[in-house]
Amino acid sequence: MNWKKILIIAASVVLGIIALSAAGLAIWSATGTYPAGDVALEAMESGSTVEVAVDSFIRFLPRDVSADVGLVFYPGGLVDPTAYAPVLRRIAEEGYPVFITPMPLNLGIFKTGAADEVFEAYPDIDRWILAGHSLGGASAGIYAAANPEAIDALVFWDSYPPGSSDLSEEDIPVLSIYGTSGGVPNTPNFDEQRSLQPADTEFVPIEGASHAQFGDYGPQSGDVEPQISLAEQHDAVFRIMMDFIRENIR
């Protein structure tokens, strides 16, 4: 019996299975991604106050402003990163550079350290806010737990840190914006995960908000029916974000 030949064949079979699995995941990610809507696409156009650029990450850069506070955003799982442009562009219009980090296969869990690339590219920015929606928020929580000294604030959009990333003892300002229906959080297990965040975390509900309307990518499977418009929800998220930034990042 030629054991060497058998081992080579077995290794080839295993590698083939891995390759097929990876290819299948890539196809599933590409076909299952929620595309950005018209409001988001319009926000991706440069204007008189904000330059929009897309390369290794999406940049919203305030014109004629030298800022020392920046925001990095992790998009939700299987969502086109540009879908978050409506709110994030408005933050940039207030003078804060904002960066969205596209993720491998549109799944932030595969690159929780994506913020480091932005930090390295902009050494003149002294203070950083890390934010994320859904799976992107969980991924931001993982990063914050592993690198608390690297960021100055953390924001969750309809999200929370995973059980493996306890932030309760960290001295980081944290904001959690979430949708509610009849005063009850729409996100499963939301209340049970509050203990993973610092005691002074700001929890700010938006009654009638849906999960998908934190961005602009249409209806999402398993989501609640929104009771407020897309524009109303974006206005609320923007206002809450700016209040938090102005109060905590000086």
Side-chain angles (χ1 to χ4, degrees):
M1 183 178 293
N2 190 332
W3 287 104
K4 183 177 180 180
K5 184 176 181 179
I6 291 174
L7 288 173
I8 291 174
I9 294 172
S12 298
V13 171
V14 170
L15 290 173
I17 292 173
I18 292 173
L20 287 173
S21 298
L25 182 58
I27 293 170
W28 169 72
S29 173
T31 58
T33 297
Y34 291 95
D38 291 341
V39 174
L41 295 177
E42 183 178 347
M44 288 293 296
E45 297 294 329
S46 294
S48 60
T49 59
V50 173
E51 176 189 354
V52 182
V54 180
D55 41 52
S56 55
F57 32 80
I58 301 167
R59 313 164 194 248
F60 299 91
L61 303 175
R63 297 187 187 275
D64 304 320
V65 174
S66 178
D68 61 356
V69 176
L71 186 150
V72 175
F73 190 87
Y74 285 6
L78 299 181
V79 177
D80 182 337
T82 63
Y84 299 95
V87 173
L88 298 178
R89 183 207 176 93
R90 290 176 65 180
I91 294 174
E93 289 173 348
E94 296 295 316
Y96 300 93
V98 176
F99 308 88
I100 307 175
T101 55
M103 297 296 187
L105 302 178
N106 290 312
L107 295 169
I109 198 67
F110 288 147
K111 196 175 182 180
T112 60
D116 286 333
E117 296 178 12
V118 182
F119 299 162
E120 292 170 5
Y122 288 86
D124 292 338
I125 296 179
D126 298 324
R127 290 166 292 171
W128 288 100
I129 304 160
L130 180 60
H133 173 238
S134 193
L135 180 62
S139 301
I142 293 172
Y143 180 91
N147 307 275
E149 74 292 337
I151 60 175
D152 297 274
L154 178 65
V155 180
F156 295 104
W157 288 8
D158 232 22
S159 184
Y160 48 74
S164 60
S165 300
D166 189 343
L167 298 165
S168 60
E169 299 300 320
E170 299 298 342
D171 186 22
I172 305 173
V174 178
L175 169 65
S176 177
I177 313 173
Y178 59 103
T180 58
S181 298
V184 178
N186 297 327
T187 302
N189 304 315
F190 185 87
D191 286 334
E192 290 82 352
Q193 302 299 323
R194 289 177 186 255
S195 61
L196 294 173
Q197 299 169 66
D200 59 355
T201 295
E202 294 184 40
F203 290 94
V204 184
I206 303 177
E207 178 64 21
S210 72
H211 192 71
Q213 284 192 165
F214 277 86
D216 173 30
Y217 55 91
Q220 183 168 357
S221 176
D223 198 3
V224 301
E225 185 71 25
Q227 300 304 308
I228 58 176
S229 70
L230 181 69
E232 288 172 328
Q233 184 163 335
H234 287 175
D235 285 345
V237 175
F238 169 72
R239 173 183 52 78
I240 296 166
M241 288 289 294
M242 291 312 306
D243 287 347
F244 175 78
I245 292 171
R246 288 166 179 156
E247 291 172 7
N248 292 277
I249 311 296
R250 302 182 184 278

